[in-house]
């Protein structure tokens, strides 16, 4: 069998860590080959070696059977290797077409031939079914279309080996489906694809073969047909992983959070939460299910004091807290794991130790008379880092340098340690690998079992079904149904989330 | 006094004072569009003014009418060379770009005055023998009304400045080179993955600002100042910087803003000739350009659309 890419015995070390230790990767022509591994396993390093961003210390790379030396992304481009980056590389102020032709512009009398550029972009997009608007500004298009533009960038440069770096991390379920179709089209047209991911479902659904790496070492390459999710997960993590979260039946106690008829406007001034009521009791997890953009973010922001509540009341343990300052609200007993940990959860360029104290730095013993006691702060930070298994070189490392899973563990430690009566977890496992997901789920259930109220927001139906004791379905700013996860199915939830009434959904299901 | 008469006083004077500002602001556009903040424009103008004056003093007599033009070329070369200091500090050594720009300004003033003292034994040069003269542009100057207002009492350098604004616009927005310059100022990592040499583009951007800044200073010295002292360039570089921001980093915007500031500067000269301004004491007229600059920047600019990566050093491989 002919391989388009062969990476043999690749070794790449950084100070203090061997990121790739004798890894082999062989990709056949016309296949979708998954590169599976936890965050920090060395997937990105290996791909950066292939893309010419890093030079390996040992090993050889063959492209279409020929030994090559790839010392820059330009060289990789010349060899027909293109990378679809996880963090999109688009210039916001440029049009889609400008982004695609940048660096390889069609010219006419010294100026950019925009007509030809637009035509060429349109031709490629038609051929592979990548629907885009060439003349739209990159900043104005949807995330899905931004990703299509990224793919077009590589195709425009004639790539026939495409590396996708965790492409589904930022996409909605619908966009993920579209992307999978696009990948199938690409393979049909003779392209080969390397898919970097830690999502097992995607591998089972779309890939032909999979190479698993763990802690910098190549573990195994398998045919997807001959394996299953459980095997892949244990290969990736190095131990048995349970997908079904173990938990006892809930024992709900007194009402902790009572939301009564609140209305909240979003940043554009549109009422996105309308007359919404919801109650969460001690000792239960209430999951909010819904399609993104139905008022979930605004609801969470209103409860945590980040957004103004226009009418209605929010009551925590019998005290009204709507429109109090975030600090007053957190102090009255709410812990918040925010949706976007980079924007609202952490100060990325602060040490992780200081990030862990962000909710309590102003209290004794961490500060007195307006002066911080760094010694006390870092002592506390160290104990939380150990307790919550945050893997970091030390407590002075900047939050930015940690993997997503470890960043999230630090946030969870910070919030849970304050012992809040209500824990709000918004998309707590977004972008995390299975090991970290398991940890987060365990912690949420622990809180519930300790008699705390937990409000969970997630777009992953599986997560909602597994964790929740009660599911509240949100649609256009209202809770339109409340269901018991034991008595419902993903299909019924899907219908409810699309706005069907509970009766209709139940009928369709039955 | 009718409107044509008033305009034929205001417009030529405005064009005189605007030309150096237009040129220098254009330089700033290239530098900042490539992602390097350049508050060293003042220093680049000083170098340009100094070089053109010395060139004119040394070679003016021999070269005759070609002298001012050649002195501008010398000013551009000196400006570009001097801007390399800023480029190296800001791009290669990732120094703070504001500090580096300030250093350029101080170094330029100190070095030029030092040399002037060495040569002339005082802090002032003699008058240049071959300055530019206002002329009537052949052909254009004969157009009725418009010719009288715009083209009958004007420096060629003013026309050149306006033309360069349009040429800069074409280069930045219509050519592959312009697209690349703008891409490294907005998202250098994206540009890098597309095979564009970020460092090279930024060096070019800064050096173009040196060419334009030197030219701006040279034009100021050869049309308005006519000699070189410590106060030949006194804030024009900063006004050009303001014009660049006011013009939203766009060559035509910068042109418009520079014309406005040029008008403000010319007020102290022509104010006494204009009906409304006649009675205002001259000190206020001298203050006008600076006050208008502040007002313009604070009051009217609204949302500033600075290039996103402006002032941020690019480090390869950093996420």
């Amino acid at each position: 069998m002919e391989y388009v890419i062969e990476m043999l015995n690749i070794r790449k070390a950084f100070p203090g860590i061997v990121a790739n230790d004798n890894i082999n990767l062989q990709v056949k022509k016309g296949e979708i080959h998954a590169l599976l591994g936890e965050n920090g396993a060395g997937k990105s390093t290996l791909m950066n070696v292939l893309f010419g961003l890093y030079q390996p210390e040992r090993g050889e790379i063959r492209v279409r059977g020929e030994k090559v030396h790839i010392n820059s992304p330009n060289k990789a481009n010349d060899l027909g290797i293109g990378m679809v980056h996880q963090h999109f590389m688009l210039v916001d102020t440029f049009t889609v077409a400008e982004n695609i032709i940048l660096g390889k512009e069609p010219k006419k009398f010294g100026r950019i031939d925009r007509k030809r550029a637009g035509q060429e972009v349109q031709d490629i997009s038609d051929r592979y079914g990548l629907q885009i608007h060439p003349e739209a500004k990159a900043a104005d298009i949807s995330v899905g279309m931004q990703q299509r533009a990224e793919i077009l960038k590589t195709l425009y440069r004639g790539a026939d080996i495409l590396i996708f770096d965790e492409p589904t991390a930022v996409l909605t379920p619908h966009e993920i489906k579209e992307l999978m179709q696009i990948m199938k089209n690409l393979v049909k047209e003779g392209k080969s694809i390397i898919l970097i991911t830690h999502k097992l479902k995607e591998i089972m659904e779309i890939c032909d073969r999979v190479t698993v790496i763990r802690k910098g070492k190549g573990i195994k390459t398998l045919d997807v047909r001959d394996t299953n999710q459980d095997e892949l997960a244990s290969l990736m993590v190095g131990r048995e992983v349970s997908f079904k979260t173990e938990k006892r039946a809930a024992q709900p106690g007194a009402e902790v959070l009572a939301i009564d008829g609140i209305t909240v406007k979003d940043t554009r001034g549109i009422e996105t939460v309308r007359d919404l009521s919801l109650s969460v009791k001690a000792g239960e997890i209430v999951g909010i299910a819904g399609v993104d953009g139905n008022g979930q973010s605004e609801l969470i922001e209103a409860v945590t004091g980040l957004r103004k509540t226009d009418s209605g009341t929010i009551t925590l343990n019998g005290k009204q807290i709507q429109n109090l300052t975030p600090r007053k609200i957190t102090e009255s007993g709410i812990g918040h794991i925010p949706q976007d940990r980079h924007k609202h959860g952490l100060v990325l360029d602060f040490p992780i130790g200081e990030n862990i104290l962000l909710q309590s730095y102003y209290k004794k013993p961490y500060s007195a008379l307006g002066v911080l006691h760094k010694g006390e702060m870092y002592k506390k930070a160290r104990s939380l880092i150990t307790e919550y298994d945050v893997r970091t070189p030390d407590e002075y490392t900047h939050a930015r340098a940690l993997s997503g899973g470890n960043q999230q563990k630090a946030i969870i430690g910070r919030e849970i340690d304050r012992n809040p009566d209500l824990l709000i977890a918004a998309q707590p496992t977004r972008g995390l690998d299975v090991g970290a997901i398991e940890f987060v789920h365990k912690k949420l259930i622990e809180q519930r079992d300790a008699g705390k109220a937990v409000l969970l927001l997630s777009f992953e139906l599986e997560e909602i079904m597994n964790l929740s004791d009660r599911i509240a379905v949100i649609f256009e700013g209202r809770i339109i149904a409340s269901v018991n996860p034991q008595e419902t199915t993903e299909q019924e939830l899907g219908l409810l989330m699309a706005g069907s009434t509970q009766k209709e959904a139940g009928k369709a299901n039955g | 006094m009718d409107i044509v008469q008033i305009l034929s006083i205001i417009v030529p004077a405005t064009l005189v004072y605007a030309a150096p500002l237009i040129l220098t602001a254009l330089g700033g556009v290239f530098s900042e569009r490539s992602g390097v903040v350049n508050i060293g424009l003042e220093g680049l103008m000083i170098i340009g003014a100094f070089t053109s004056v010395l060139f004119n003093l040394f070679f003016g007599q021999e070269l005759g009418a070609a002298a001012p033009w050649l002195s501008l070329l010398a000013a551009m070369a000196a400006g570009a060379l001097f801007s390399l200091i800023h480029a190296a500090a800001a791009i290669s050594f990732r120094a703070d770009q504001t500090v580096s720009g300030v250093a350029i300004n101080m170094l330029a003033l100190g070095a030029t005055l030092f040399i002037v003292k060495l040569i002339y034994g005082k802090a002032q040069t003699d008058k240049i023998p071959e300055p530019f003269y206002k002329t009537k542009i052949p052909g254009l100057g004969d157009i009725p009304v418009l010719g009288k207002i715009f083209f009958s009492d004007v420096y060629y350098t003013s026309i050149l400045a306006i033309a360069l604004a349009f040429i800069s616009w074409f280069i930045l927005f219509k050519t592959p080179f312009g697209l690349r310059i703008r891409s490294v100022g907005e998202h250098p990592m994206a540009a890098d993955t597309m095979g564009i040499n970020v460092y090279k583009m930024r060096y070019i951007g800064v050096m173009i600002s040196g060419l334009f800044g030197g030219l701006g200073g040279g034009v100021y010295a050869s049309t308005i100042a006519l000699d070189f002292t410590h106060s030949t360039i006194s804030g024009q570089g900063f006004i050009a910087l303001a014009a660049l921001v006011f013009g939203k980093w766009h060559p035509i915007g910068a042109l418009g803003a520079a014309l406005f500031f040029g008008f403000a500067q010319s007020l102290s000269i022509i104010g006494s000739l204009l009906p409304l301004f006649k009675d205002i004491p001259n000190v206020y007229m001298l203050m006008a350009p600076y006050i208008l600059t502040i007002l313009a920047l604070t009051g009217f600019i609204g949302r500033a659309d600075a290039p996103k990566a402006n002032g941020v050093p690019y480090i390869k491989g950093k996420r």
Side-chain angles (χ1 to χ4, degrees):
Chain A
M1 183 66 210
E2 184 197 348
Y3 293 113
V4 277
I5 295 277
E6 287 176 273
M7 299 181 80
L8 303 171
N9 302 317
I10 300 291
R11 181 190 162 89
K12 173 75 193 170
F14 295 106
I17 184 169
V18 182
N20 286 169
D21 192 1
N22 269 343
I23 292 189
N24 290 300
L25 175 70
Q26 291 176 307
V27 181
K28 290 178 191 165
K29 187 170 164 42
E31 76 169 346
I32 303 182
H33 193 112
L35 186 58
L36 174 67
E38 287 188 288
N39 288 327
K43 298 174 303 221
S44 298
T45 306
L46 188 67
M47 286 304 105
N48 284 335
V49 166
L50 181 59
F51 197 56
L53 289 167
Y54 294 148
Q55 301 307 306
E57 280 115 45
R58 245 199 347 251
E60 70 176 64
I61 302 175
R62 292 180 190 195
V63 177
R64 296 178 203 88
E66 265 177 59
K67 192 173 166 184
V68 292
H69 183 68
I70 304 175
N71 52 13
S72 76
N74 277 341
K75 180 76 197 251
N77 282 332
D78 293 344
L79 290 167
I81 301 170
M83 177 104 126
V84 178
H85 298 269
Q86 182 182 7
H87 303 281
F88 298 151
M89 298 283 178
L90 294 174
V91 181
D92 280 352
T93 52
F94 286 11
T95 65
V96 171
E98 281 173 336
N99 267 296
I100 291 169
I101 61 168
L102 178 63
K104 196 168 173 272
E105 306 86 352
K107 271 176 284 198
K108 194 169 160 189
F109 309 121
R111 50 186 290 176
I112 298 170
D113 188 344
R114 276 170 205 278
K115 229 174 102 186
R116 210 171 92 208
Q119 193 53 52
E120 285 182 26
V121 168
Q122 195 61 56
D123 286 349
I124 307 174
S125 86
D126 290 345
R127 184 166 156 206
Y128 296 101
L130 293 156
Q131 191 241 332
I132 49 143
H133 304 308
E135 292 314 312
K137 283 253 159 68
D140 300 335
I141 60 178
S142 71
V143 175
M145 196 177 286
Q146 288 183 355
Q147 187 169 58
R148 293 197 283 276
E150 282 285 332
I151 299 171
L152 279 170
K153 268 161 65 169
T154 67
L155 296 174
Y156 177 79
R157 280 166 173 66
D160 57 6
I161 301 155
L162 280 79
I163 306 168
F164 282 81
D165 188 1
E166 308 209 358
T168 58
V170 290
L171 301 183
T172 63
H174 179 68
E175 285 171 331
I176 291 176
K177 267 202 193 113
E178 282 179 353
L179 175 68
M180 298 214 160
Q181 190 53 48
I182 289 167
M183 289 166 92
K184 283 179 193 156
N185 290 349
L186 288 168
V187 172
K188 219 183 289 161
E189 293 278 337
K191 310 282 182 193
S192 310
I193 292 176
I194 302 175
L195 173 66
I196 306 177
T197 187
H198 54 242
K199 293 193 182 166
L200 304 168
K201 237 165 103 180
E202 287 163 13
I203 295 180
M204 298 310 296
E205 201 170 325
I206 194 170
C207 296
D208 302 302
R209 295 196 308 146
V210 50
T211 294
V212 186
I213 62 178
R214 183 170 76 224
K215 290 185 183 150
K217 289 198 167 68
I219 300 297
K220 206 171 183 181
T221 300
L222 317 93
D223 266 340
V224 168
R225 264 169 309 178
D226 306 335
T227 185
N228 54 50
Q229 290 200 35
D230 290 332
E231 184 186 10
L232 288 179
S234 53
L235 281 174
M236 167 166 79
V237 184
R239 61 180 162 82
E240 293 292 317
V241 182
S242 73
F243 286 100
K244 192 73 190 170
T245 326
E246 302 296 329
K247 59 171 190 180
R248 293 176 286 138
Q251 289 166 344
E255 187 173 64
V256 173
L257 176 74
I259 300 173
D260 191 17
I262 61 164
T263 297
V264 184
K265 290 199 189 82
D266 70 3
T267 318
R268 294 163 300 167
I270 298 165
E271 281 185 7
T272 38
V273 174
R274 283 178 250 167
D275 194 20
L276 179 146
S277 300
L278 180 70
S279 139
V280 187
K281 298 196 182 72
E284 72 167 351
I285 298 178
V286 174
I288 299 178
V291 177
D292 194 5
N294 274 291
Q296 294 97 320
S297 306
E298 287 76 13
L299 169 64
I300 301 281
E301 285 169 6
V303 176
T304 50
L306 298 171
R307 188 174 286 281
K308 204 177 140 247
T309 306
D310 288 315
S311 62
T313 61
I314 302 170
T315 315
L316 184 75
N317 287 330
K319 268 195 295 196
Q320 291 200 3
I321 57 160
Q322 74 271 11
N323 294 330
L324 293 182
T325 61
R327 178 178 287 185
K328 284 235 171 74
I329 289 176
T330 39
E331 286 184 343
S332 60
I334 290 186
H336 179 204
I337 301 165
Q339 259 189 84
D340 187 335
R341 57 178 164 270
H342 289 174
K343 253 190 211 153
H344 299 126
L346 298 164
V347 183
L348 287 174
D349 289 310
F350 275 13
I352 190 65
E354 291 182 15
N355 270 293
I356 287 181
L357 270 289
L358 276 184
Q359 296 274 32
S360 40
Y361 65 89
Y362 55 90
K363 290 186 192 146
K364 279 184 178 172
Y366 314 118
S367 72
L369 304 170
V371 180
L372 292 176
H373 289 178
K374 294 239 168 167
E376 289 291 334
M377 286 175 70
Y378 279 105
K379 207 169 96 194
K380 178 72 182 170
R382 271 192 295 276
S383 80
L384 282 180
I385 284 172
T386 321
E387 189 182 339
Y388 286 86
D389 189 30
V390 181
R391 291 191 200 147
T392 169
D394 57 42
E395 58 274 23
Y396 305 104
T397 304
H398 284 195
R400 185 183 295 281
L402 269 55
S403 74
N406 285 308
Q407 292 176 344
Q408 193 72 322
K409 284 182 195 170
I411 294 174
I412 290 173
R414 175 178 80 205
E415 299 302 325
I416 292 183
D417 186 64
R418 294 187 300 112
N419 200 21
D421 298 322
L422 170 69
L423 182 65
I424 298 176
Q427 295 200 60
T429 59
R430 184 176 172 193
L432 305 189
D433 55 50
V434 281
I437 291 174
E438 204 189 5
F439 179 90
V440 173
H441 286 177
K442 238 167 62 195
K443 284 291 163 193
L444 292 182
I445 290 172
E446 264 176 40
Q447 283 303 295
R448 181 200 77 159
D449 291 346
K452 310 291 182 190
V454 179
L455 181 61
L456 169 73
L457 163 65
S458 173
F459 298 124
E460 307 268 347
L461 269 189
E462 233 182 281
E463 180 165 273
I464 292 272
M465 297 279 276
N466 273 340
L467 286 181
S468 309
D469 301 309
R470 201 148 56 77
I471 301 174
V473 181
I474 191 168
F475 180 71
E476 292 187 344
R478 288 192 186 86
I479 301 293
I480 57 158
S482 177
V483 295
N484 182 337
Q486 253 96 58
E487 295 162 6
T488 186
T489 60
E490 290 204 15
Q491 285 78 355
E492 186 191 12
L493 270 184
L495 283 168
L496 288 170
M497 283 161 59
S500 310
T501 61
Q502 203 156 359
K503 223 163 128 195
E504 287 167 8
K507 221 182 271 165
N509 192 41
Chain B
M1 216 179 211
D2 65 20
I3 187 80
V4 175
Q5 254 180 311
I6 293 175
L7 281 178
S8 58
I9 295 172
I10 291 177
V11 173
T14 296
L15 287 179
V16 171
Y17 282 89
L21 302 181
I22 296 170
L23 293 164
T24 309
L26 289 175
V29 169
F30 277 96
S31 173
E32 303 218 342
R33 279 283 184 176
S34 79
V36 182
V37 169
N38 196 346
I39 67 162
L41 290 176
E42 175 93 354
L44 296 172
M45 281 186 90
I46 292 174
I47 291 292
F50 163 81
T51 309
S52 72
V53 166
L54 280 204
F55 185 94
N56 209 317
L57 284 166
F58 279 105
F59 307 110
Q61 239 102 46
E62 295 163 47
L63 296 169
W69 290 107
L70 291 173
S71 79
L72 289 186
L73 283 182
M76 289 170 75
L81 235 104
F82 205 69
S83 70
L84 265 181
I85 302 173
H86 183 51
I91 302 163
S92 299
F93 298 106
R94 297 178 206 134
D96 186 288
Q97 298 177 4
T98 307
V99 174
S100 163
V102 170
I104 291 287
N105 290 337
M106 303 209 300
L107 182 62
L109 193 60
T112 52
L113 274 184
F114 177 72
I115 297 171
V116 166
K117 272 206 169 173
L118 271 188
I119 299 176
Y120 296 94
K122 53 179 181 173
Q124 184 169 21
T125 68
D126 301 330
K127 284 260 181 263
I128 53 173
E130 289 287 340
F132 283 109
Y133 296 102
K134 286 186 176 181
T135 47
K136 184 170 152 185
I137 311 281
L140 291 172
D142 297 325
I143 303 169
V145 187
L146 288 182
K148 183 170 176 343
I149 295 173
F150 288 100
F151 300 113
S152 55
D153 190 24
V154 70
Y155 291 110
Y156 273 111
T157 47
S158 301
I159 308 292
L160 175 72
I162 292 170
L164 280 174
F166 286 95
I167 292 171
S168 298
W169 165 79
F170 180 84
I171 290 175
L172 273 176
F173 290 93
K174 296 291 166 191
T175 67
F177 171 76
L179 193 71
R180 292 172 188 193
I181 279 262
R182 288 186 290 129
S183 74
V184 301
E186 289 284 342
H187 196 333
M189 204 197 280
D192 196 9
T193 58
M194 304 294 264
I196 291 163
N197 187 333
V198 176
Y199 300 119
K200 188 176 117 194
M201 293 314 287
R202 288 191 165 176
Y203 263 91
I204 295 174
V206 174
M207 285 185 74
I208 294 178
S209 81
L211 288 173
F212 272 111
L215 181 59
V219 166
Y220 189 85
S222 320
T223 57
I224 299 167
L226 307 186
D227 63 1
F228 184 82
T229 74
H230 71 281
S231 63
T232 300
I233 302 297
S234 53
Q236 286 89 341
F238 290 107
I239 295 179
L241 193 64
L244 143 77
V245 176
F246 195 28
K248 298 198 167 177
W249 288 268
H250 194 285
I252 306 304
L255 168 65
L259 284 170
F260 171 72
F261 291 135
F263 165 71
Q265 284 202 312
S266 70
L267 275 182
S268 66
I269 312 295
I270 56 168
S272 56
L273 304 172
L274 297 174
L276 270 173
F277 294 90
K278 234 182 328 206
D279 305 322
I280 304 175
N282 199 248
V283 281
Y284 294 110
M285 291 302 190
L286 286 169
M287 280 156 57
Y290 305 100
I291 290 178
L292 282 174
T293 305
I294 293 171
L295 284 182
L297 285 180
T298 51
F300 304 106
I301 179 136
R303 197 166 61 94
D305 289 307
K308 273 208 198 67
N310 200 9
V312 187
Y314 179 60
I315 306 170
K316 243 177 143 58
K318 194 190 170 192
R319 288 202 171 238

